[in-house]
Amino acid sequence: MPSLDAPEERLRKFKYRGKDASLRRQQRMAVSLKLRKAKKDEQTLKRRNITNFFPDTPSEKTAKGVAVSLTLGEIIQGVNSSDPARCFQATQTARKMLSQEKNPPLKLVVEAGLIPRMVEFLKSSLYPCLQFEAAWALTNIAAGTSEQTRAVVEGGAIQPLIALLSSPNLAVCEQAVWALGNIAGDGPEFRDKIISSNAIPHLLALISHTLPITFLRNITWTLSNLCRNKNPYPCDTAVKQILPALLHLLQHHDSEILSDACWALSYLTDSCSKRIGQVVDTGVLPRLVALLNSSELNVLTPSLRTVGNIVTGTDEQTQRAIDTGILNVLPQLLQHNKPSIQKEAAWALSNVAAGPCHHIQQLLAYDVLPPLVAVLKHGEFKVQKEAIWTVANFVTGATMDQLIQLVHSGILEPLVNLLTAPDVKIVLIILDVISFILEAAEKLSEKENVCLLVEELGGIDRIEALQLHENRQISLLALNIIEKHFSEEEDESLMLLSQVVDQDCEFINCDCLAKK
């Protein structure tokens, strides 16, 4: 008969007995990592400028009333001209082509070899309108594929773009910020090139309450891209430079600025406890918790993700989040009208539940169980999966009293119903949870009551059916639960039947001997 603690692979993946909270949280992070990688990121990596936000810039005034239509050949000739007016006219025409909303000819422009000349135009301080058009064109090329972004970088654009962060022309300066944001958004290689080129101090120096809101949004978005990507993470020096600015930007009223600042913090906390500590030590938690009450989904989503990341850290970091009031809000977010928010809230709660029993006690104190049971009963399956992890972590770290409260909350009914779920891993976890509860009930001499409850909920039929499941782990675990916890009456019946058969055999044998 298979024992409850075997096989080892199942124990490692689905049981946490004997493991400390940090290891359990790491397992939760690993399990959710594939799902999160597969999910489309909520924040934009790169953005093309398809609208002119600067109608009064010198470049627009120069072009006003002049309809210019050039062929690609004429553009190539124009950008290679020694006449600044022709260079401007050709660059602006190229920029307008690259700003088309549909199918901009990025590849055509790159293959035409225009990038090196556009990079040269960035250095033309006497012609800010030409700098602006060149920066805009390069911004849109860098918003393309990784290969096209690489063409901009290898064309030498990073250093001249950083130099433009000191331009007295705001339009030129902002376009340079945007271009750098697109380059950084491509991945860690180009992000680190920008960081090592000392861009961050120049970006931070631009932040001011007098800055136009669109400009401040672009700076915040670019900073978030400089925090983005792992393998490797941004260097410690960069993080230490950026964090105070993010804390400052987090006090802003604009939802786009708040959103990108929160996304930046979510990237920085999606890491080890040391990096989580760097963020927590800034004192950002009260503001993040306040933003969990935001009605703006683009603010709520990244603030919730950041809080969820923080509670994957150490017990102390999780306690600081609890002390700041996250458990006032997370149960409410389980009832949010957006399943994506419910899922993130359940994920955060699962990491709190992975902690020591005093964290579990705080979950009970904040009345987390009723909304958790409701989600397990009525939520979308992707939300139910995260809620099941919360229950699994709860039972493996709870005291006997806490387990009793869990059973009394009505948790068994939705768990039993979810045994028919099409997800092997989830069914295994539920079977583990049921097995764990039954073992605890046995120690409390309450096993008979819990077995009756499981039977009333239709659990025995479902577990018996799982003995025939195509997955061997599921079938073995289901068999083990039935044999260990639900076969006493059957055993008694078999013993009685065996005695009757034995007696009949003895009678028949004696009768036969007598006839002889």
Side-chain angles (χ1 to χ4, degrees):
M1 183 190 302
S3 72
L4 189 64
D5 296 328
E8 282 298 316
E9 180 67 17
R10 182 176 64 76
L11 181 140
R12 191 175 80 251
K13 285 186 178 177
F14 303 114
K15 289 181 184 287
Y16 304 108
R17 278 167 259 185
K19 296 187 179 182
D20 63 22
S22 63
L23 195 56
R24 294 206 299 271
R25 289 197 179 101
Q26 286 170 22
Q27 180 66 43
R28 278 294 293 118
M29 290 175 74
V31 167
S32 64
L33 183 61
K34 187 175 180 182
L35 175 69
R36 295 189 188 288
K37 279 184 176 176
K39 182 182 176 184
K40 183 180 177 183
D41 208 316
E42 291 90 341
Q43 196 202 23
T44 310
L45 280 165
K46 299 178 181 179
R47 304 187 300 200
R48 277 196 309 125
N49 187 353
I50 59 173
T51 309
N52 185 9
F53 288 106
F54 316 105
D56 298 324
T57 58
S59 68
E60 290 302 313
K61 287 178 180 178
T62 304
K64 204 168 186 179
V66 181
V68 179
S69 178
L70 302 177
T71 64
L72 182 61
E74 289 169 333
I75 290 172
I76 293 170
Q77 287 180 350
V79 297
N80 288 298
S81 169
S82 58
D83 179 4
R86 284 192 67 195
C87 289
F88 166 77
Q89 189 180 75
T91 304
Q92 186 180 66
T93 304
R95 180 270 293 175
K96 287 181 176 179
M97 291 167 60
L98 295 168
S99 300
Q100 291 172 199
E101 193 161 358
K102 292 183 179 179
N103 304 316
L106 301 177
K107 186 178 179 183
L108 199 65
V109 169
V110 172
E111 289 176 349
L114 298 181
I115 288 176
R117 280 295 284 166
M118 288 180 175
V119 169
E120 283 303 309
F121 296 156
L122 296 177
K123 305 169 188 176
S124 304
S125 57
L126 294 177
Y127 305 100
C129 54
L130 179 57
Q131 288 178 311
F132 174 69
E133 292 292 350
W136 189 343
L138 291 169
T139 296
N140 287 356
I141 296 170
T145 64
S146 288
E147 184 181 357
Q148 288 158 354
T149 307
R150 183 173 294 278
V152 173
V153 173
E154 292 180 351
I158 288 178
Q159 205 61 58
L161 285 169
I162 292 172
L164 288 182
L165 299 181
S166 302
S167 169
N169 186 298
L170 275 186
V172 171
C173 187
E174 178 172 359
Q175 200 58 57
V177 169
W178 194 332
L180 289 167
N182 277 344
I183 294 169
D186 188 76
E189 179 189 354
F190 297 155
R191 175 204 67 196
D192 290 344
K193 277 184 180 290
I194 291 171
I195 290 171
S196 63
S197 299
N198 203 37
I200 292 174
H202 296 282
L203 284 166
L204 300 181
L206 293 171
I207 298 174
S208 162
H209 69 277
T210 60
L211 210 59
I213 193 70
T214 56
F215 197 163
L216 195 56
R217 286 171 181 167
N218 268 326
I219 292 171
T220 310
W221 174 73
T222 296
L223 288 174
S224 76
N225 272 355
L226 290 171
C227 296
R228 194 178 194 132
N229 287 304
K230 304 189 278 190
N231 302 319
Y233 282 93
C235 64
D236 269 355
T237 303
V239 173
K240 287 173 182 174
Q241 287 176 319
I242 291 173
L243 273 175
L246 293 178
L247 191 61
H248 170 74
L249 291 165
L250 218 57
Q251 310 307 315
H252 208 279
H253 65 274
D254 181 71
S255 66
E256 286 187 40
I257 290 171
L258 290 173
S259 178
D260 286 327
C262 285
W263 277 118
L265 291 171
S266 79
Y267 305 143
L268 296 178
T269 51
D270 185 16
S271 182
C272 62
S273 56
K274 179 185 174 184
R275 287 186 174 269
I276 291 171
Q278 284 181 306
V279 173
V280 171
D281 289 343
T282 63
V284 75
L285 268 169
R287 181 59 175 155
L288 282 173
V289 173
L291 292 174
L292 293 180
N293 293 296
S294 175
S295 59
E296 303 271 359
L297 199 62
N298 68 330
V299 175
L300 173 56
T301 300
S303 59
L304 180 54
R305 176 72 59 84
T306 305
V307 168
N309 286 342
I310 288 170
V311 295
T312 66
T314 64
D315 288 346
E316 181 189 358
Q317 289 162 349
T318 301
Q319 187 61 54
R320 287 176 71 174
I322 293 171
D323 292 342
T324 311
I326 62 164
L327 294 183
N328 282 319
V329 190
L330 291 179
Q332 298 171 29
L333 294 179
L334 279 179
Q335 304 167 71
H336 197 274
N337 59 359
K338 292 285 184 182
S340 59
I341 297 299
Q342 295 173 6
K343 185 176 80 70
E344 291 284 340
W347 177 69
L349 287 168
S350 76
N351 285 309
V352 176
C357 59
H358 65 269
H359 285 175
I360 292 172
Q361 190 58 42
Q362 286 169 298
L363 291 175
L364 293 170
Y366 282 93
D367 212 21
V368 167
L369 293 183
L372 191 66
V373 171
V375 160
L376 286 167
K377 284 182 176 179
H378 309 298
E380 289 189 8
F381 186 58
K382 65 180 181 180
V383 183
Q384 290 173 324
K385 286 167 71 172
E386 293 293 344
I388 286 166
W389 275 106
T390 305
V391 176
N393 285 345
F394 187 108
V395 299
T396 51
T399 64
M400 288 297 182
D401 284 345
Q402 290 166 344
L403 279 175
I404 291 169
Q405 290 184 65
L406 180 68
V407 173
H408 285 167
S409 73
I411 205 79
L412 281 171
E413 180 184 351
L415 290 182
V416 165
N417 290 336
L418 284 165
L419 283 173
T420 57
D423 188 308
V424 167
K425 187 175 290 185
I426 290 301
V427 173
L428 277 169
I429 295 171
I430 294 171
L431 288 172
D432 264 332
V433 168
I434 291 172
S435 177
F436 198 102
I437 289 172
L438 287 167
E439 287 179 356
E442 191 168 23
K443 292 174 186 175
L444 293 168
S445 302
E446 290 288 340
K447 179 179 169 181
E448 185 179 348
N449 290 333
V450 176
C451 285
L452 283 171
L453 178 58
V454 172
E455 184 176 9
E456 288 170 4
L457 295 170
I460 295 179
D461 292 341
R462 283 186 168 86
I463 296 169
E464 283 180 338
L466 290 174
Q467 292 177 112
L468 303 175
H469 198 280
E470 61 184 9
N471 181 277
R472 189 168 179 273
Q473 287 181 299
I474 289 177
S475 61
L476 285 175
L477 185 50
L479 174 64
N480 190 34
I481 291 172
I482 293 296
E483 288 186 345
K484 188 168 184 179
H485 300 291
F486 294 100
S487 61
E488 289 178 3
E489 293 178 8
E490 186 179 338
D491 289 345
E492 289 175 6
S493 300
L494 287 172
M495 286 176 64
L496 286 170
L497 181 61
S498 177
Q499 290 172 6
V500 170
V501 169
D502 288 344
Q503 288 172 3
D504 286 347
C505 287
E506 287 176 14
F507 175 79
I508 291 167
N509 289 336
C510 290
D511 190 45
C512 289
L513 288 171
K515 285 180 179 178
K516 284 182 180 177

